[in-house]
Amino acid sequence: KQEVTQIPAALSVPEGENLVLNCSFTDSAIYNLQWFRQDPGKGLTSLLLIQSSQREQTSGRLNASLDKSSGRSTLYIAASQPGDSATYLCAVTFSGGYNKLIFGAGTRLAVHP
Amino acid sequence: EAQVTQNPRYLITVTGKKLTVTCSQNMNHEYMSWYRQDPGLGLRQIYYSMNVEVTDKGDVPEGYKVSRKEKRNFPLILESPSPNQTSLYFCASSLGLDSWGETQYFGPGTRLLVL
């Protein structure tokens, strides 16, 4: 069964810390992996998309890595800010799943001043 | 502004009363889909559509119907809602040109409570 797991489920850090969110998936045959941010009442916002042929993607203070062979991805957030507080979701498109995203349950991040 | 809109945003209903949640996108996207989000389970795909008049089941289609008569609209229909359909629903769309996975754009969500 194709599954995506995220740990930790929740994380609380002081402002300014660098942090890592983890995502693991059960099948290495993937098309891509996406990280989303979910804010209450505002839906999901795509942060980074890593194609299966890529190792990492960067956007501002965010860096996502992909290791297909081990079935893992990490989202690194540098110099965290209170505005980063949200739920972060990892989603995988497995081979054969036309644009279908399999989501992890998410990591709820709280950055306090 | 490029966006996916859903209506209503919040809905309380009773068991068995038919309802429709609308979804519309203004990006001329071919691909649209519906997900539901439940605590601890993440988002799961209900139905998807690759183009007008082309729809197919996702992972949890039971109790739902969809239609795709126009490219921009993809309504979700619950003909006889039950309490286990209480959930947060998201509509999503993407270009649909690349079956190997594209950036998808999500609506703001519809929170449904079935009593």
Side-chain angles (χ1 to χ4, degrees):
Chain A
K1 184 181 178 183
Q2 295 168 332
E3 292 181 341
V4 177
T5 304
Q6 291 185 247
I7 54 172
L11 187 61
S12 179
V13 300
E15 182 176 6
E17 273 204 9
N18 301 324
L19 55 97
V20 174
L21 308 182
N22 297 293
C23 173
S24 61
F25 45 95
T26 54
D27 186 349
S28 63
I30 70 170
Y31 286 146
N32 63 41
L33 182 145
Q34 298 183 52
W35 284 93
F36 291 87
R37 169 181 172 142
Q38 182 175 15
D39 294 281
K42 293 185 179 180
L44 280 67
T45 302
S46 180
L47 298 173
L48 292 164
L49 184 151
I50 312 176
Q51 300 290 358
S52 62
S53 59
Q54 298 173 323
R55 296 283 293 183
E56 66 178 334
Q57 283 285 344
T58 298
S59 176
R61 294 182 293 108
L62 305 179
N63 176 277
S65 67
L66 175 64
D67 184 343
K68 274 197 316 177
S69 60
S70 67
R72 293 180 182 178
S73 175
T74 61
L75 179 66
Y76 175 83
I77 303 176
S80 58
Q81 304 170 357
D84 294 328
S85 298
T87 297
Y88 290 81
L89 299 169
C90 172
V92 174
T93 302
F94 290 97
S95 297
Y98 182 93
N99 270 326
K100 181 174 76 173
L101 298 170
I102 304 295
F103 282 84
T107 294
R108 189 169 66 255
L109 173 65
V111 181
H112 49 87
Chain B
E1 179 189 356
Q3 59 183 349
V4 179
T5 57
Q6 296 179 225
N7 282 292
R9 297 288 312 280
Y10 304 92
L11 180 60
I12 301 175
T13 189
V14 295
T15 298
K17 185 176 182 181
K18 181 180 179 179
L19 65 92
T20 299
V21 183
T22 65
C23 173
S24 182
Q25 49 89 9
N26 63 1
M27 296 170 278
N28 202 36
H29 283 171
E30 303 280 347
Y31 182 88
M32 297 184 74
S33 62
W34 277 101
Y35 290 83
R36 62 178 286 174
Q37 184 179 32
D38 301 290
L41 296 179
L43 282 82
R44 294 174 293 167
Q45 191 183 62
I46 304 170
Y47 268 95
Y48 68 94
S49 170
M50 291 189 285
N51 209 328
V52 174
E53 302 293 1
V54 181
T55 63
D56 208 347
K57 298 176 180 178
D59 291 329
V60 287
E62 293 75 23
Y64 304 95
K65 288 177 58 178
V66 293
S67 69
R68 187 89 182 275
K69 294 184 170 57
E70 308 166 277
K71 182 183 277 192
R72 64 182 293 129
N73 296 322
F74 190 45
L76 179 69
I77 303 159
L78 286 71
E79 298 222 322
S80 184
S82 62
N84 64 12
Q85 293 178 296
T86 293
S87 189
L88 178 58
Y89 291 87
F90 289 101
C91 180
S93 73
S94 65
L95 281 169
L97 301 178
D98 180 3
S99 61
W100 280 266
E102 307 166 316
T103 298
Q104 298 202 29
Y105 299 85
F106 282 77
T110 294
R111 189 168 293 280
L112 171 65
L113 173 62
V114 183
L115 301 174

